[in-house]
Amino acid sequence: MDRPQKTEGTMGEANLSIGSNLDSTSASRGSETTTTTPPSQSSYQPFLGESNDLVVPPNARIIRPRSLNDIYDAIEDLKAELDTHTVETHTPRPSQFIWAYQIPQGLFTQIETDLELFPGVRTTIAHNDFAVLLKIMPGRQRERITGNFRVIVMGHLNAMGLSLQNGDFTDQGAEITRGFLQSKEPDWAFGPYDARINSAADEYPATEYPSLILETGFSESLGQLQLDAHWWYRNTTQETKIVVLIDVASDNPYRVNFEVWTEVPNQSHAPVTRNCPAEVVQCTQRATLQNGVVTGGPLILSFPTLMRRAPRAGEHDIVLGAADLAIIGARPRPAP
């Protein structure tokens, strides 16, 4: 069995070409099938005005797997390096990302259809390129940040009398979302009740997308997170209008960057065309947590944008103040 081919160092940014859906059959775990067939023409039309291409991080690990075990081995190797860096901060910071390309058709179909293959790893599937981008967070840091953010946002909504139990909104978790040319898992997704996504269906139904997305990163990954913000806006036909980015930027001193990306009018003076839309997404709010001290903020999540309706009595924007941000980004306690 061929081992995955690795390229150390940087690979440069690789824009994926706009392709099409795949017509393939499923494979069992560890399949070494290498036969591929030409893809058919895509039925997903890009949103006019912006490219929907996926950008591969320049420092991503590159593999060409022949089996699931090749991918599992690469994930475990990178997790071990990330865990080592968490303890030994003087060691070089490894990339969070693995780019697996030229995946055999049968194996690729299995990845497309089985959402539980890579637990704890966020997956972006490039359907037209037989490739996947895997994002790994060290230890339980991502789960802690995501969990704290979720609890605090839910707490603010509960204080307004809104709840999951009453069907006011949906906690979509890390459900995979189908874009035009790729599918992507967030760290957390939220939306009003009618924005629920049935990711387990055989077909991806026409449905409203999440209103809010959370993406987290580790060690100099803010640039990639910002590309993620653009991806969500472009690939949800502008329906996802709030993307929160949380980047653990450094260990010594411990620093966490927060950004809120929202829809704003395009300031370009050019006429509105397919290449110059009337609205764009950009960073509108920032804050930083360093050694327990928050600067910047507060971060405000617009209620009408979040819930896709006007606020009623007792309802208002969610304001994430210094105390909230300190809890969300709190440094993990060292292991005993």
Side-chain angles (χ1 to χ4, degrees):
M1 179 176 65
D2 295 338
R3 298 299 299 160
Q5 297 183 356
K6 294 186 179 181
T7 300
E8 300 298 336
T10 61
M11 61 161 286
E13 293 186 353
N15 287 327
L16 298 185
S17 59
I18 294 179
S20 57
N21 295 325
L22 304 177
D23 181 15
S24 52
T25 58
S26 61
S28 62
R29 176 185 171 98
S31 168
E32 294 184 327
T33 302
T34 57
T35 303
T36 61
T37 58
S40 59
Q41 181 63 34
S42 174
S43 61
Y44 292 89
Q45 298 302 314
F47 166 66
L48 300 182
E50 297 190 75
S51 167
N52 301 287
D53 290 352
L54 173 68
V55 177
V56 179
N59 63 344
R61 298 289 177 86
I62 307 171
I63 64 172
R64 192 172 64 187
R66 303 296 91 187
S67 72
L68 270 179
N69 286 332
D70 290 343
I71 301 177
Y72 290 144
D73 288 346
I75 291 173
E76 292 306 312
D77 288 346
L78 186 51
K79 282 183 176 180
E81 291 186 35
L82 288 166
D83 289 341
T84 298
H85 176 72
T86 301
V87 177
E88 302 174 11
T89 56
H90 62 280
T91 58
R93 293 173 180 164
S95 170
Q96 281 184 266
F97 299 94
I98 296 172
W99 173 244
Y101 75 111
Q102 293 184 6
I103 300 173
Q105 182 178 0
L107 175 57
F108 186 72
T109 300
Q110 185 179 4
I111 294 172
E112 286 187 300
T113 56
D114 189 345
L115 304 181
E116 305 300 325
L117 283 177
F118 310 119
V121 176
R122 294 292 171 257
T123 304
T124 301
I125 303 174
H127 296 280
N128 308 319
D129 298 84
F130 294 90
V132 295
L133 181 66
L134 306 173
K135 183 176 81 169
I136 298 166
M137 285 289 280
R140 299 186 60 83
Q141 199 165 26
R142 176 186 55 78
E143 289 87 350
R144 177 182 51 81
I145 290 174
T146 302
N148 289 348
F149 180 85
R150 172 187 174 277
V151 167
I152 286 176
V153 169
M154 295 288 196
H156 281 283
L157 292 170
N158 293 159
M160 302 178 206
L162 302 173
S163 70
L164 183 67
Q165 293 82 355
N166 291 338
D168 296 307
F169 51 79
T170 63
D171 178 354
Q172 298 174 16
E175 291 186 24
I176 196 163
T177 296
R178 178 69 183 250
F180 295 111
L181 302 173
Q182 299 102 28
S183 297
K184 185 172 175 59
E185 289 179 306
D187 284 300
W188 186 60
F190 170 94
Y193 183 76
D194 59 356
R196 186 169 39 194
I197 296 174
N198 180 14
S199 63
D202 293 334
E203 300 287 339
Y204 286 87
T207 183
E208 291 187 45
Y209 290 104
S211 60
L212 178 147
I213 289 292
L214 171 67
E215 291 278 4
T216 63
F218 172 76
S219 293
E220 302 177 344
S221 63
L222 186 57
Q224 184 65 30
L225 293 178
Q226 292 168 345
L227 293 173
D228 289 340
H230 285 287
W231 190 96
W232 284 106
Y233 184 70
R234 294 166 181 171
N235 283 270
T236 61
T237 60
Q238 297 179 296
E239 289 185 36
T240 299
K241 299 181 187 294
I242 304 176
V243 182
V244 178
L245 309 179
I246 303 179
D247 176 44
V248 182
S250 68
D251 297 307
N252 189 20
Y254 180 74
R255 187 175 77 256
V256 181
N257 295 321
F258 300 86
E259 291 189 354
V260 178
W261 286 61
T262 57
E263 184 181 68
V264 298
N266 192 343
Q267 297 300 314
S268 172
H269 297 294
V272 174
T273 66
R274 60 181 295 141
N275 294 318
C276 186
E279 290 84 25
V280 294
V281 67
Q282 69 180 36
C283 179
T284 54
Q285 304 171 67
R286 291 187 177 91
T288 299
L289 170 66
Q290 182 165 319
N291 292 333
V293 178
V294 175
T295 57
L299 304 182
I300 300 173
L301 307 181
S302 163
F303 185 94
T305 306
L306 192 66
M307 298 300 294
R308 295 188 176 128
R309 64 171 176 81
R312 303 177 184 128
E315 300 174 346
H316 49 77
D317 295 343
I318 294 177
V319 179
L320 301 177
D324 291 327
L325 298 179
I327 293 172
I328 293 169
R331 186 170 197 163
R333 295 186 179 93

